[in-house]
Amino acid sequence: MKIILTAIGSKYIHTALGLRSIRAYAKAQGIETELIEDSVQTPLLSVLAEITAQEPDVVGLSVHIWNKNYVYSLIRLLRKVMPQVKIAAGGPEVSFDPQRIFGECPQIDYIIMGEGEETFVKLVRALADGGEVPEHVVYQKDGKVIANSCTTVVDDLDVLEFPYPDLAEVVAAKKIVYYECTRGCPFKCSYCLSGIARNVRKRSLAKVYADLDRFIAAKVLLVKFVDRTYNLDENYFLPIMQHLALADTDATFHFEIKADLLSENVLQFLETVPKGRFQFEIGVQTTNAPTLAAINRRDDWQKLTANVTRLLHSGNIHLHLDLIAGLPYEGLAEFEKSFNDVYGLQPHMLQLGFLKVLPGTQMERQRDEHGLIYMDEPPYEILATKYINYKELRFLKVLEDVFDHTYNSGRFAHTLAYLTALDGSAFRFYTKFAQWWQARGEYPLGHNVRGVTKLLYEFVQECYAEHFARICELLRFDVLLYQPGWKPAFLKWHTDELNEKVMAFWRDAERVRRYVPDYSFATWRQIQKNYMIEYFDCDPLGDGAAYYLFVYNDEVQAIKLTDFEN
């Protein structure tokens, strides 16, 4: 029996952990499968040709929010050109309402309800032997939907195999590696499907270490843990982190954590982790108490604030915090407060997301209670609620665009800090900028960082005339720090007039070593590549200095030069 597993990612760089795990488990049970991995950008007929060229008997597909319409179209084409093929679908988009799914795509033969490794193997064996359809597989018979039981989980994660037998090829293709050491979630956030399987199951530490060591040996650069809340059990997650912290690797490991659960013991450890080894995604979602109660979240904002502040102060872990717009009981005023609260922490990235009313969630069942109006098709994004109207939500999309191009780019830190302080509210500033951005017709156009720099300059010129000179110096400072090698003509540069002094400075190795201890003169080309001195009419760091030496190594450092002319 020829079996094809087909994974359609949202981007080429993504790997399909679920189907890879099914493939590895099936192989261990003596069942060979082939995996086809493509993306929603791949022409539909190309994927169809890949599948049909292998003349499969069974095709398994995983259906997600990002690929549902694509996969449905692919299934319909498969049924046209291969009417006898058996089509099995699984994944979060089809696991909770089979009656509706068969109505949407009747070409599907079987729906696997829940985690698919064990159930898919049982289904394949039943098809090969002519046996009965196993539990947790829904199918149609005589026009009726036959459901054997509800969604299933894999109780013992140790029965699962390492999901990347082709790891060398994955690394060579520079794809993101996804991994999980736990499944399930003890929380019951009303907008999420993860809490439906509330029993959290853990892969044994010995197997986790072995899996991670294979990633390290293969020189994987980024491993994203997809555990819903990684840091639930300190006795379990901390040893894994300690193992990774001690490893000889350049890899970064990404975790989704609940920051208010971090203990003093864990915080002390995290302060010792090599820089860049870990990055954390922290779902704040809202700071509005009625909203938190409505979505079943119990967050300790004071503890979260203290822990995030401490992690940021350590400076060795990238922090990505999330907000969700369109939640119950959160109008524009409440969202503004949530935004300002989280922005005040100054995370490395703040993602402004929008509520997705996923089929099968408690949120979907409460749509009438909260007046939720949302897209009927994926991504099921919110359009309006009783608390925030369509026009307001639509404007937040513009604000999100501006925010991603500025704050989240990390290229304008000093300029934005001054502007938001000037307005007295981060949300107020970004609202003003977004209104200007929209009036200019910049949304939803694509922009590179240099184009955004020019737009920010023009915005300041129009809207902050009395502070223009000061802000331009800060913008020039940011350009020098975060866009090395570029000196836009619209900003005032002093390179030429400083040239003789700069050359004299670099020839005086003893003087340079006051600021760069390991300095030795090589060539002027190397000097120009690695260092830069620039004059500022007003001090961008606020300490009265005029000249700055910029050192470009792995990071950018600014070293004050008080004796530049001595």
Side-chain angles (χ1 to χ4, degrees), residues 83-123:
Q84 301 307 313
V85 72
K86 298 299 183 184
I87 299 174
E93 274 297 297
V94 298
S95 287
F96 301 101
D97 189 355
Q99 187 80 43
R100 175 177 58 85
I101 300 305
F102 280 125
E104 293 173 347
C105 191
Q107 293 83 3
I108 296 171
D109 292 304
Y110 305 102
I111 296 174
I112 294 175
M113 305 284 286
E115 298 171 12
E117 290 89 351
E118 295 171 331
T119 302
F120 184 75
V121 165
K122 291 175 183 177
L123 175 62

Side-chain angles (χ1 to χ4, degrees), residues 484-543:
W486 183 51
K487 293 185 175 181
F490 57 85
L491 295 173
K492 183 181 177 183
W493 301 94
H494 302 280
T495 308
D496 292 339
E497 63 195 71
L498 292 175
N499 189 52
E500 289 187 14
K501 293 178 182 178
V502 168
M503 291 176 68
F505 177 79
W506 292 122
R507 289 192 187 101
D508 188 346
E510 183 178 347
R511 185 157 48 133
V512 177
R513 289 193 192 105
R514 299 176 195 172
Y515 308 99
V516 189
D518 58 351
Y519 172 79
S520 63
F521 182 84
T523 66
W524 287 116
R525 186 175 207 170
Q526 286 298 106
I527 294 295
Q528 291 172 351
K529 178 181 178 182
N530 294 319
Y531 309 103
M532 180 175 291
I533 295 175
E534 181 55 45
Y535 174 80
F536 291 90
D537 296 319
C538 54
D539 50 315
L541 295 184
D543 56 7

Side-chain angles (χ1 to χ4, degrees), residues 431-440 455 458-459 462-463:
T431 295
K432 185 188 298 185
F433 195 6
Q435 289 168 341
W436 181 90
W437 187 277
Q438 186 175 35
R440 280 276 302 252
L455 287 169
E458 293 173 357
F459 168 66
E462 288 185 32
C463 301

Side-chain angles (χ1 to χ4, degrees), residues 349-417:
M349 181 173 286
L350 198 175
Q351 180 175 317
L352 170 51
F354 293 80
L355 177 65
K356 311 294 189 295
V357 186
L358 303 178
T361 60
Q362 180 184 341
M363 187 67 72
E364 183 196 31
R365 296 191 294 274
Q366 294 177 333
R367 59 186 179 272
D368 293 335
E369 177 184 348
H370 299 297
L372 305 182
I373 300 171
Y374 55 94
M375 298 168 63
D376 295 326
E377 297 293 326
Y380 311 109
E381 188 168 302
I382 195 72
L383 301 173
T385 74
K386 285 169 61 175
Y387 319 99
I388 188 167
N389 62 42
Y390 171 70
K391 185 178 180 180
E392 291 168 329
L393 275 171
R394 183 177 178 276
F395 178 73
L396 287 181
K397 298 291 286 188
V398 182
L399 191 147
E400 176 200 24
D401 187 53
V402 168
F403 193 76
D404 283 344
H405 279 106
T406 53
Y407 182 89
N408 282 340
S409 76
R411 307 294 184 97
F412 307 101
H414 300 89
T415 309
L416 294 174

Side-chain angles (χ1 to χ4, degrees), residues 119-299:
T119 302
F120 184 75
V121 165
K122 291 175 183 177
L123 175 62
V124 168
R125 285 175 174 160
L127 292 174
D129 301 337
E132 293 186 2
V133 175
E135 280 189 311
H136 314 298
V137 176
V138 182
Y139 61 101
Q140 297 183 92
K141 184 176 181 180
D142 299 328
K144 294 182 179 180
V145 174
I146 310 298
N148 290 343
S149 91
C150 59
T151 55
T152 184
V153 299
V154 177
D155 290 320
D156 181 7
L157 297 188
D158 278 3
V159 306
L160 303 180
E161 302 292 326
F162 182 71
Y164 293 93
D166 57 342
L167 187 56
E169 290 83 358
V170 170
V171 173
K174 299 181 179 179
K175 292 191 172 188
I176 298 172
V177 170
Y178 295 96
Y179 182 73
E180 61 185 353
C181 53
T182 64
R183 288 184 181 178
C185 181
F187 306 114
K188 49 181 181 178
C189 301
S190 64
Y191 51 79
C192 184
L193 290 167
S194 298
I196 291 175
R198 298 194 65 191
N199 57 322
V200 178
R201 292 139 291 136
K202 305 169 186 173
R203 190 163 171 83
S204 67
L205 287 174
K207 284 188 176 288
V208 171
Y209 295 154
D211 293 343
L212 296 175
D213 286 346
R214 292 176 73 169
F215 292 143
I216 292 167
K219 299 189 182 304
V220 173
L221 292 180
L222 176 62
V223 178
K224 282 197 167 188
F225 281 67
V226 298
D227 306 59
R228 291 295 79 198
T229 303
Y230 171 77
N231 62 315
L232 289 172
D233 179 357
E234 187 171 322
N235 293 324
Y236 180 76
F237 79 81
L238 185 55
I240 296 172
M241 283 186 158
Q242 291 168 332
H243 181 85
L244 294 174
L246 293 172
D248 181 13
T249 179
D250 293 325
T252 296
F253 299 88
H254 176 103
F255 305 93
E256 294 185 26
I257 70 163
K258 199 169 185 296
D260 56 342
L261 296 183
L262 297 174
S263 70
E264 177 63 25
N265 182 43
V266 173
L267 288 167
Q268 288 182 11
F269 158 72
L270 291 175
E271 290 171 343
T272 71
V273 171
K275 188 169 186 176
R277 183 63 52 86
F278 298 157
Q279 60 185 35
F280 293 159
E281 182 172 349
I282 300 166
V284 179
Q285 323 311 12
T286 179
T287 63
N288 185 43
T291 302
L292 288 167
I295 62 177
N296 303 323
R297 286 184 69 90
R298 300 291 181 268
D299 293 340

Side-chain angles (χ1 to χ4, degrees), residues 419 432-433 435-437 439-440 442 454-469 471-472:
L419 284 165
K432 185 188 298 185
F433 195 6
Q435 289 168 341
W436 181 90
W437 187 277
R440 280 276 302 252
E442 304 298 339
K454 183 66 183 299
L455 287 169
L456 183 53
Y457 172 86
E458 293 173 357
F459 168 66
V460 168
Q461 192 174 37
E462 288 185 32
C463 301
Y464 295 87
E466 60 185 296
H467 302 277
F468 182 62
I471 298 169
C472 279

